[in-house]
Amino acid sequence: MSAEAFTHLAYGATFGILLMSIVYTLVRYIYSKEIMYISYCAMQVFSLGYISAYSHLFALEPFVQEIFLLLATLSAVMFAITFHEGNLIPKIANFKELVINTLLLNVVILTAFYHYILFEYLPYTVVYAILFLSIVFNLRSGFKPTIVYVIGWSLLCILLFVFQLKQVYVEHGYIDIVLAAFAVEAVLFTISISYKYNLFKNQALDHQNMLFQQSKMAKSGEMIANITHQFRQPLNNLSYLLMNLKSRYENRTIDDAYFDKKIASAQEQLQFLSKTIDDFKEFYTPAKAKEPFSLTEAIRNSVAVIAPDLKSKGIVLEVVGSDEEITIFGKKNELSQVLLALISNASDALSGVSEPKIILRSHCNGSEAMIRLEDNGSGISSDTLGKIFDPYFTTKSQGSGIGLYLCKMIIEKSFGGKIEVESKVREGSAFTLSMALYHSARG
């Protein structure tokens, strides 16, 4: 291959890298509307114009190259400022911090200057310098996407400096090193954005878990009332048992058989109280790692928590289960939370209904576990039906609008399933959950 053909190939590859970078960031901007993406896209557009003029492959006047360089530099400043994290100007509280920050600033200036000497393209040097500043003045803030970008460029600069690779590069008459800078920039930006996206994804998951716990806490008053109701009858029974034992003892009419019978009854009541505590404790405990669990047990936990409230409202809850044991894979208390939220919503929809009833069915359908919750309540209008899973959408005056949204997220993300709803005004609603069976999920 001739030198001219190789030069054309190198510039063609550079044009392709820049075009892919432009399209990538433009698409990102369309979906996210973040200034960071459109400013980077603009920087790469002007960089493409600059390298087109620089290559002399097109009939462009020299001043056009300078205009593109200026516009690319301004876009680079905007991108770096929107992409950086932390403070660009440190807060100095004493003389020691002044000395340290001055030394760090000198390191950044010298490193950035060497970066420019190596690659001779100001926009990328500006981005490198600003992001380097944001790192050295925020070292205590932890690992950030900007560090990925800066470390990548820094390692390349160190290698070129230690091994004097640029001198070797120039002596052998290789293609202009500025072309390598465009390729390196595109790779480092893509890696940094990928890391940033993963951080956002983890933060979103943490936020979802926080909402999940908050939705539980929002039900605390109702749950405490249920616990009180659950405890009252067993405590009354224990009180009667003690009174009977005391009366028999005082009258000297107690015998071993009677005593053993009353002790056994007392132990049954205590076991019921202990089990009630476990049910509510599991409901409030943050979910642990995924594991196989019984669908019937998850349903039982949910029903145990909300049954007293339904009974006090005169709502009949009919649970229809499958004869075979159904095992699914995930976090049991998350599913219990979903069921509790759906039952609670159904309970609210039954207000004013003459014979309120909720039916909870569970069965296997091929490789899926199915749960269907039906009520004979007021139903959901067609206008509302398409929005009920949207975050912060609610028709309740005291509602937060996150209950059904979390239900949908949990079923889709934690169980890889789906949730569907059918409803007719004045005829009731039905929610259907479908999740993979444990053996199917494990292959």
Side-chain angles (χ1 to χ4, degrees):
M1 180 183 296
S2 66
E4 184 179 359
F6 181 77
T7 299
H8 289 173
L9 179 62
Y11 276 107
T14 303
F15 295 154
I17 291 170
L18 287 170
L19 284 171
M20 286 190 293
S21 180
I22 290 166
V23 172
Y24 173 75
T25 48
L26 183 59
V27 171
R28 282 277 194 176
Y29 172 73
I30 291 172
Y31 281 97
S32 69
K33 302 301 179 184
E34 292 186 53
I35 299 298
M36 172 186 70
Y37 289 115
I38 195 63
S39 57
Y40 188 89
C41 180
M43 180 183 74
Q44 294 296 68
V45 168
F46 296 132
S47 294
L48 180 60
Y50 170 84
I51 199 66
S52 298
Y54 180 87
S55 68
H56 302 298
L57 297 175
F58 307 95
L60 297 174
E61 296 296 327
F63 76 90
V64 174
Q65 179 180 327
E66 299 304 319
I67 292 175
F68 279 129
L69 180 62
L70 175 62
L71 294 175
T73 303
L74 294 175
S75 302
V77 173
M78 182 179 293
F79 162 70
I81 290 175
T82 55
F83 185 63
H84 92 280
E85 297 163 288
N87 299 317
L88 287 176
I89 302 176
K91 295 179 180 179
I92 301 174
N94 51 55
F95 181 74
K96 180 182 177 181
E97 289 186 358
L98 175 62
V99 172
I100 292 174
N101 287 318
T102 301
L103 290 174
L104 290 174
L105 180 60
N106 286 328
V107 169
V108 173
I109 292 173
L110 291 173
T111 308
F113 179 73
Y114 183 64
H115 181 281
Y116 180 72
I117 294 298
L118 284 173
F119 299 104
E120 300 175 8
Y121 189 61
L122 185 58
Y124 293 167
T125 298
V126 167
V127 174
Y128 175 68
I130 293 176
L131 297 186
F132 203 164
L133 275 177
S134 74
I135 290 173
V136 297
F137 292 147
N138 300 275
L139 290 174
R140 298 178 182 177
S141 301
F143 198 86
K144 299 179 181 297
T146 49
I147 295 180
V148 176
Y149 184 94
V150 171
I151 286 179
W153 272 119
S154 298
L155 289 175
L156 184 59
C157 289
I158 291 171
L159 287 174
L160 290 172
F161 175 77
V162 172
F163 297 103
Q164 296 295 306
L165 293 180
K166 183 174 182 180
Q167 183 177 348
V168 174
Y169 194 90
V170 172
E171 288 176 353
H172 284 76
Y174 295 139
I175 196 66
D176 201 317
I177 198 170
V178 71
L179 299 184
F182 288 106
V184 173
E185 166 64 27
V187 171
L188 290 177
F189 174 76
T190 303
I191 294 173
S192 300
I193 289 298
S194 177
Y195 182 77
K196 193 180 187 77
Y197 172 77
N198 288 333
L199 282 180
F200 284 149
K201 187 177 179 181
N202 292 334
Q203 289 171 359
L205 184 59
D206 290 341
H207 180 65
Q208 179 180 320
N209 290 334
M210 181 188 70
L211 290 177
F212 180 63
Q213 289 303 120
Q214 286 180 344
S215 69
K216 291 181 181 181
M217 295 299 108
K219 292 283 186 180
S220 292
E222 184 180 327
M223 294 301 102
I224 290 172
N226 288 342
I227 293 174
T228 303
H229 186 90
Q230 293 261 55
F231 272 37
R232 183 172 290 116
Q233 188 59 44
L235 290 173
N236 287 338
N237 293 340
L238 286 170
S239 178
Y240 293 144
L241 286 170
L242 291 173
M243 289 171 60
N244 287 336
L245 285 172
K246 181 181 179 183
S247 176
R248 287 285 190 116
Y249 177 77
E250 290 175 346
N251 295 327
R252 300 292 189 271
T253 58
I254 191 170
D255 56 35
D256 291 344
Y258 182 84
F259 181 79
D260 291 340
K261 178 182 177 182
K262 293 301 179 181
I263 290 297
S265 297
Q267 287 177 339
E268 287 180 5
Q269 299 301 316
L270 290 172
Q271 287 174 358
F272 176 82
L273 291 172
S274 177
K275 186 173 181 303
T276 301
I277 292 172
D278 289 339
D279 287 339
F280 282 89
K281 180 181 177 182
E282 182 172 332
F283 173 74
Y284 280 106
T285 302
K288 298 179 181 179
K290 292 183 180 181
E291 60 184 1
F293 65 88
S294 167
L295 181 63
T296 302
E297 188 175 345
I299 293 174
R300 186 197 64 76
N301 288 346
S302 304
V303 171
V305 170
I306 203 170
D309 182 60
L310 297 178
K311 186 176 180 181
S312 68
K313 295 177 180 177
I315 298 174
V316 175
L317 175 60
E318 181 181 343
V319 181
V320 181
S322 173
D323 293 332
E324 61 179 307
E325 180 65 26
I326 301 175
T327 302
I328 57 179
F329 189 76
K331 299 176 181 180
K332 184 171 69 174
N333 68 341
E334 286 193 355
L335 181 58
S336 295
Q337 167 71 2
V338 169
L339 295 175
L340 191 66
L342 294 178
I343 296 172
S344 179
N345 281 355
S347 172
D348 294 339
L350 290 169
S351 177
V353 176
S354 58
E355 296 181 1
K357 186 175 184 179
I358 299 173
I359 303 176
L360 181 60
R361 309 177 191 272
S362 61
H363 66 281
C364 286
N365 182 15
S367 60
E368 291 184 317
M370 309 291 294
I371 301 176
R372 185 175 176 85
L373 186 78
E374 305 171 10
D375 67 67
N376 62 339
S378 54
I380 306 171
S381 67
S382 57
D383 293 337
T384 303
L385 198 62
K387 304 175 184 177
I388 61 171
F389 293 116
D390 293 345
Y392 306 109
F393 175 80
T394 181
T395 57
K396 303 176 185 177
S397 59
Q398 301 296 323
S400 64
I402 63 173
L404 289 176
Y405 165 72
L406 284 175
C407 290
K408 185 173 185 291
M409 290 298 99
I410 289 169
I411 295 301
E412 290 180 352
K413 305 295 184 182
S414 295
F415 294 92
K418 62 181 179 179
I419 179 170
E420 299 174 314
V421 59
E422 308 162 35
S423 186
K424 292 183 178 180
V425 177
R426 292 185 295 276
E427 293 185 24
S429 305
F431 286 83
T432 303
L433 312 179
S434 56
M435 298 159 286
L437 293 172
Y438 171 58
H439 62 80
S440 298
R442 303 289 286 183

